[in-house]
Each structure stands twice: as C-alpha cells, then as structure tokens.
Amino acid sequence: MNIQGLTIAYKQKVAIDDVTLQIATGKLTGIVGPNGAGKSTLLKGMMGLVPREKGQVTLDNKPLSYWRKKIAYVPQRSEVDLTFPITVFDMVLLGTYPALGLIKRPGKKEKQLAFDALEQVEMTAFSKRQIGELSGGQLQRVFIARALAQHAEIFFLDEPFAGIDMTSEALIMKLLKKLRD
Ligand code: ADP
Ligand code: MG
C-alpha cells in the first residue's frame, strides 16, 4: 500500500502533515505513537473517512476506494456507539452485507458465514447478547468476527488491544497471524 503526501486537517488545524510511507501486503504492521499523535486520523484518512487536504493512497495502483469491499475497519472502542441496539450475531452478519449489494437480504449462506466467524473467535455462546453488554475483549472479538464474515483482505484495526483481557488478545493475535499467513 502506497501512501503519498497524505495531509489531513480538522477545521484548518493540521492533524497529519504530508505523510508518505509504504505498507507491505501480507504483513502485520503497527503504527505507534502517543495520544493525539494522529494514528486514528491516519487510518481514517487512508480509507477516505475524513476529507483529505491532499495526498493519495493506492494499492496495486488503484485508489483504496476501489478495494472498499475488501477492507475491514474496526474503529477505536470510544468511537463505537455501544447503546445501539444490535445483537452480537446481527453485528457479525453485517460483515456479509458489502458482498450482498443493495437489495438482497442475508440468507442461509450469510448466516452460516456469520456463525462460522463467531465460532472462530469463540463467541457463539454470546450470539444473542446485545453488543453493549460485552467486555472490551469480547467486543473486539465480535468486530474481528465481522471482518472474517466479510472475507476482508485488508484489516484496519484501531487500538485493537487497548483495555482487553489476555485471552482475547492472544486469540485475536493468533487469528491475525493465521490470516496473514
Ligand atoms: P491518535 O489516534 O493518535 O490518538 P487522533 O488521530 O485521534 O490521534 O488525533 C490527532 C489530532 O487531531 C489530535 O490533536 C486530535 O485532537 C485532533 N482530532 C481528532 N479528531 C478530531 C475531530 N473530529 N475534530 C477536530 N480535531 C480532531
Ligand atoms: Mg486514536
């Protein structure tokens, strides 16, 4: 992935300034920096979720928007509305929507995909639970399951290990390494 001169500003205040870097595919890459350094802004700017002042982000010479359906984004927990009424299973099922198109509703195949993904993160027992009633680690596992159900090939995870239990951390790390391999 090629990031070229990416600049993002919020209300004229520059948050990331002229960032150029290459991120290799088939690898796990971490972005490290203190609070407010611009890590989340970089991720969002790469995906086009916040407007760019300037810069390009491409993969195989195509803009990242071209790969939209292959990209899974797990936002920082503080940016997720946990009061939104949705069950664990339905949250994971949402992962199958990009492939479905506008009109089709998820059917048996999509539900099986969601079920398999929940199994991989060892969260089937929680499938009927509301997302607001999960621990940090359990919630992160549900988001990873959603990405798995999406058959995503590019994962953007914002602070995936912040404030989660060791079991969840180990499980997620193992899954990410498996996906990378
Ligand atoms: P990090 O994820 O590394 O903690 P952020 O990308 O969230 O950093 O923030 C980078 C800078 O941009 C900070 O100074 C932050 O206050 C500012 N910022 C982030 N989001 C917004 C926003 N929606 N509006 C205005 N300023 C923002
Ligand atoms: Mg952040």
PDB file of all heavy atoms in Angstrom, residues 69-86:
ATOM      1  N   LYS A  69     -14.740  -3.058  -0.523  1.00  0.00           N
ATOM      2  CA  LYS A  69     -15.410  -4.270  -0.023  1.00  0.00           C
ATOM      3  C   LYS A  69     -14.443  -5.253   0.619  1.00  0.00           C
ATOM      4  O   LYS A  69     -14.844  -6.151   1.346  1.00  0.00           O
ATOM      5  CB  LYS A  69     -16.159  -4.966  -1.170  1.00  0.00           C
ATOM      6  CG  LYS A  69     -17.385  -4.192  -1.600  1.00  0.00           C
ATOM      7  CD  LYS A  69     -18.102  -4.884  -2.737  1.00  0.00           C
ATOM      8  CE  LYS A  69     -19.291  -4.050  -3.190  1.00  0.00           C
ATOM      9  NZ  LYS A  69     -19.977  -4.664  -4.337  1.00  0.00           N
ATOM     10  N   LYS A  70     -13.170  -5.100   0.312  1.00  0.00           N
ATOM     11  CA  LYS A  70     -12.153  -5.996   0.858  1.00  0.00           C
ATOM     12  C   LYS A  70     -11.532  -5.446   2.142  1.00  0.00           C
ATOM     13  O   LYS A  70     -10.653  -6.063   2.735  1.00  0.00           O
ATOM     14  CB  LYS A  70     -11.033  -6.209  -0.179  1.00  0.00           C
ATOM     15  CG  LYS A  70     -11.484  -6.962  -1.406  1.00  0.00           C
ATOM     16  CD  LYS A  70     -11.547  -8.444  -1.106  1.00  0.00           C
ATOM     17  CE  LYS A  70     -12.251  -9.234  -2.195  1.00  0.00           C
ATOM     18  NZ  LYS A  70     -12.882 -10.444  -1.655  1.00  0.00           N
ATOM     19  N   ILE A  71     -11.960  -4.239   2.513  1.00  0.00           N
ATOM     20  CA  ILE A  71     -11.381  -3.597   3.692  1.00  0.00           C
ATOM     21  C   ILE A  71     -12.307  -3.743   4.888  1.00  0.00           C
ATOM     22  O   ILE A  71     -13.491  -3.439   4.806  1.00  0.00           O
ATOM     23  CB  ILE A  71     -11.115  -2.101   3.435  1.00  0.00           C
ATOM     24  CG1 ILE A  71     -10.096  -1.937   2.310  1.00  0.00           C
ATOM     25  CG2 ILE A  71     -10.634  -1.408   4.707  1.00  0.00           C
ATOM     26  CD1 ILE A  71      -9.856  -0.490   1.908  1.00  0.00           C
ATOM     27  N   ALA A  72     -11.739  -4.228   5.995  1.00  0.00           N
ATOM     28  CA  ALA A  72     -12.484  -4.257   7.250  1.00  0.00           C
ATOM     29  C   ALA A  72     -11.898  -3.197   8.166  1.00  0.00           C
ATOM     30  O   ALA A  72     -10.683  -3.101   8.311  1.00  0.00           O
ATOM     31  CB  ALA A  72     -12.366  -5.625   7.907  1.00  0.00           C
ATOM     32  N   TYR A  73     -12.758  -2.406   8.754  1.00  0.00           N
ATOM     33  CA  TYR A  73     -12.298  -1.348   9.650  1.00  0.00           C
ATOM     34  C   TYR A  73     -12.924  -1.562  11.018  1.00  0.00           C
ATOM     35  O   TYR A  73     -14.142  -1.643  11.139  1.00  0.00           O
ATOM     36  CB  TYR A  73     -12.697   0.014   9.072  1.00  0.00           C
ATOM     37  CG  TYR A  73     -12.526   1.193   9.999  1.00  0.00           C
ATOM     38  CD1 TYR A  73     -11.348   1.388  10.705  1.00  0.00           C
ATOM     39  CD2 TYR A  73     -13.546   2.133  10.144  1.00  0.00           C
ATOM     40  CE1 TYR A  73     -11.195   2.488  11.548  1.00  0.00           C
ATOM     41  CE2 TYR A  73     -13.396   3.229  10.967  1.00  0.00           C
ATOM     42  CZ  TYR A  73     -12.229   3.402  11.679  1.00  0.00           C
ATOM     43  OH  TYR A  73     -12.085   4.485  12.507  1.00  0.00           O
ATOM     44  N   VAL A  74     -12.092  -1.682  12.020  1.00  0.00           N
ATOM     45  CA  VAL A  74     -12.574  -1.777  13.393  1.00  0.00           C
ATOM     46  C   VAL A  74     -12.170  -0.500  14.119  1.00  0.00           C
ATOM     47  O   VAL A  74     -10.995  -0.298  14.412  1.00  0.00           O
ATOM     48  CB  VAL A  74     -11.991  -3.016  14.108  1.00  0.00           C
ATOM     49  CG1 VAL A  74     -12.450  -3.056  15.557  1.00  0.00           C
ATOM     50  CG2 VAL A  74     -12.403  -4.294  13.393  1.00  0.00           C
ATOM     51  N   PRO A  75     -13.127   0.391  14.358  1.00  0.00           N
ATOM     52  CA  PRO A  75     -12.768   1.661  14.991  1.00  0.00           C
ATOM     53  C   PRO A  75     -12.339   1.478  16.438  1.00  0.00           C
ATOM     54  O   PRO A  75     -12.576   0.428  17.042  1.00  0.00           O
ATOM     55  CB  PRO A  75     -14.062   2.490  14.906  1.00  0.00           C
ATOM     56  CG  PRO A  75     -15.150   1.537  14.627  1.00  0.00           C
ATOM     57  CD  PRO A  75     -14.558   0.286  14.063  1.00  0.00           C
ATOM     58  N   GLN A  76     -11.707   2.508  16.950  1.00  0.00           N
ATOM     59  CA  GLN A  76     -11.359   2.564  18.364  1.00  0.00           C
ATOM     60  C   GLN A  76     -12.655   2.426  19.178  1.00  0.00           C
ATOM     61  O   GLN A  76     -13.690   2.936  18.767  1.00  0.00           O
ATOM     62  CB  GLN A  76     -10.769   3.964  18.608  1.00  0.00           C
ATOM     63  CG  GLN A  76      -9.688   4.053  19.625  1.00  0.00           C
ATOM     64  CD  GLN A  76      -9.039   5.438  19.561  1.00  0.00           C
ATOM     65  OE1 GLN A  76      -8.709   5.925  18.489  1.00  0.00           O
ATOM     66  NE2 GLN A  76      -8.879   6.055  20.710  1.00  0.00           N
ATOM     67  N   ARG A  77     -12.584   1.735  20.300  1.00  0.00           N
ATOM     68  CA  ARG A  77     -13.816   1.443  21.046  1.00  0.00           C
ATOM     69  C   ARG A  77     -14.591   2.708  21.420  1.00  0.00           C
ATOM     70  O   ARG A  77     -15.816   2.731  21.393  1.00  0.00           O
ATOM     71  CB  ARG A  77     -13.488   0.652  22.314  1.00  0.00           C
ATOM     72  CG  ARG A  77     -14.716   0.303  23.141  1.00  0.00           C
ATOM     73  CD  ARG A  77     -14.584  -1.049  23.786  1.00  0.00           C
ATOM     74  NE  ARG A  77     -13.283  -1.199  24.380  1.00  0.00           N
ATOM     75  CZ  ARG A  77     -13.060  -1.382  25.673  1.00  0.00           C
ATOM     76  NH1 ARG A  77     -14.074  -1.457  26.505  1.00  0.00           N
ATOM     77  NH2 ARG A  77     -11.857  -1.526  26.135  1.00  0.00           N
ATOM     78  N   SER A  78     -13.857   3.787  21.743  1.00  0.00           N
ATOM     79  CA  SER A  78     -14.524   5.021  22.167  1.00  0.00           C
ATOM     80  C   SER A  78     -15.358   5.640  21.050  1.00  0.00           C
ATOM     81  O   SER A  78     -16.171   6.526  21.278  1.00  0.00           O
ATOM     82  CB  SER A  78     -13.487   6.026  22.658  1.00  0.00           C
ATOM     83  OG  SER A  78     -12.548   6.282  21.622  1.00  0.00           O
ATOM     84  N   GLU A  79     -15.162   5.178  19.816  1.00  0.00           N
ATOM     85  CA  GLU A  79     -15.907   5.750  18.695  1.00  0.00           C
ATOM     86  C   GLU A  79     -17.107   4.898  18.295  1.00  0.00           C
ATOM     87  O   GLU A  79     -17.815   5.206  17.349  1.00  0.00           O
ATOM     88  CB  GLU A  79     -14.984   5.944  17.491  1.00  0.00           C
ATOM     89  CG  GLU A  79     -13.920   6.978  17.774  1.00  0.00           C
ATOM     90  CD  GLU A  79     -13.102   7.342  16.550  1.00  0.00           C
ATOM     91  OE1 GLU A  79     -13.478   6.962  15.437  1.00  0.00           O
ATOM     92  OE2 GLU A  79     -12.076   8.007  16.740  1.00  0.00           O
ATOM     93  N   VAL A  80     -17.318   3.806  19.031  1.00  0.00           N
ATOM     94  CA  VAL A  80     -18.433   2.922  18.713  1.00  0.00           C
ATOM     95  C   VAL A  80     -19.603   3.259  19.640  1.00  0.00           C
ATOM     96  O   VAL A  80     -19.428   3.390  20.843  1.00  0.00           O
ATOM     97  CB  VAL A  80     -18.031   1.444  18.910  1.00  0.00           C
ATOM     98  CG1 VAL A  80     -19.188   0.515  18.576  1.00  0.00           C
ATOM     99  CG2 VAL A  80     -16.821   1.099  18.044  1.00  0.00           C
ATOM    100  N   ASP A  81     -20.799   3.404  19.059  1.00  0.00           N
ATOM    101  CA  ASP A  81     -21.992   3.669  19.865  1.00  0.00           C
ATOM    102  C   ASP A  81     -22.503   2.353  20.444  1.00  0.00           C
ATOM    103  O   ASP A  81     -23.190   1.584  19.776  1.00  0.00           O
ATOM    104  CB  ASP A  81     -23.067   4.329  18.996  1.00  0.00           C
ATOM    105  CG  ASP A  81     -24.341   4.594  19.792  1.00  0.00           C
ATOM    106  OD1 ASP A  81     -24.332   4.351  21.027  1.00  0.00           O
ATOM    107  OD2 ASP A  81     -25.330   5.028  19.186  1.00  0.00           O
ATOM    108  N   LEU A  82     -22.153   2.110  21.714  1.00  0.00           N
ATOM    109  CA  LEU A  82     -22.499   0.824  22.323  1.00  0.00           C
ATOM    110  C   LEU A  82     -23.931   0.784  22.828  1.00  0.00           C
ATOM    111  O   LEU A  82     -24.392  -0.244  23.319  1.00  0.00           O
ATOM    112  CB  LEU A  82     -21.513   0.502  23.450  1.00  0.00           C
ATOM    113  CG  LEU A  82     -20.084   0.235  22.952  1.00  0.00           C
ATOM    114  CD1 LEU A  82     -19.117   0.141  24.107  1.00  0.00           C
ATOM    115  CD2 LEU A  82     -20.024  -1.030  22.102  1.00  0.00           C
ATOM    116  N   THR A  83     -24.646   1.901  22.698  1.00  0.00           N
ATOM    117  CA  THR A  83     -26.060   1.893  23.091  1.00  0.00           C
ATOM    118  C   THR A  83     -26.933   1.472  21.915  1.00  0.00           C
ATOM    119  O   THR A  83     -28.114   1.242  22.061  1.00  0.00           O
ATOM    120  CB  THR A  83     -26.532   3.286  23.570  1.00  0.00           C
ATOM    121  OG1 THR A  83     -26.488   4.196  22.459  1.00  0.00           O
ATOM    122  CG2 THR A  83     -25.641   3.806  24.690  1.00  0.00           C
ATOM    123  N   PHE A  84     -26.328   1.369  20.726  1.00  0.00           N
ATOM    124  CA  PHE A  84     -27.087   0.961  19.543  1.00  0.00           C
ATOM    125  C   PHE A  84     -27.610  -0.459  19.740  1.00  0.00           C
ATOM    126  O   PHE A  84     -26.834  -1.375  20.023  1.00  0.00           O
ATOM    127  CB  PHE A  84     -26.190   1.036  18.300  1.00  0.00           C
ATOM    128  CG  PHE A  84     -26.934   0.870  17.012  1.00  0.00           C
ATOM    129  CD1 PHE A  84     -27.600   1.944  16.432  1.00  0.00           C
ATOM    130  CD2 PHE A  84     -26.993  -0.366  16.383  1.00  0.00           C
ATOM    131  CE1 PHE A  84     -28.297   1.791  15.245  1.00  0.00           C
ATOM    132  CE2 PHE A  84     -27.695  -0.529  15.188  1.00  0.00           C
ATOM    133  CZ  PHE A  84     -28.350   0.557  14.626  1.00  0.00           C
ATOM    134  N   PRO A  85     -28.937  -0.656  19.622  1.00  0.00           N
ATOM    135  CA  PRO A  85     -29.485  -1.981  19.921  1.00  0.00           C
ATOM    136  C   PRO A  85     -29.255  -2.985  18.786  1.00  0.00           C
ATOM    137  O   PRO A  85     -29.961  -2.997  17.795  1.00  0.00           O
ATOM    138  CB  PRO A  85     -30.987  -1.710  20.107  1.00  0.00           C
ATOM    139  CG  PRO A  85     -31.251  -0.481  19.310  1.00  0.00           C
ATOM    140  CD  PRO A  85     -29.969   0.309  19.218  1.00  0.00           C
ATOM    141  N   ILE A  86     -28.231  -3.790  18.954  1.00  0.00           N
ATOM    142  CA  ILE A  86     -27.959  -4.848  17.967  1.00  0.00           C
ATOM    143  C   ILE A  86     -27.301  -6.017  18.689  1.00  0.00           C
ATOM    144  O   ILE A  86     -26.476  -5.819  19.588  1.00  0.00           O
ATOM    145  CB  ILE A  86     -27.086  -4.311  16.797  1.00  0.00           C
ATOM    146  CG1 ILE A  86     -26.883  -5.377  15.714  1.00  0.00           C
ATOM    147  CG2 ILE A  86     -25.729  -3.793  17.305  1.00  0.00           C
ATOM    148  CD1 ILE A  86     -26.272  -4.860  14.417  1.00  0.00           C
TER     149      ILE A  86
END
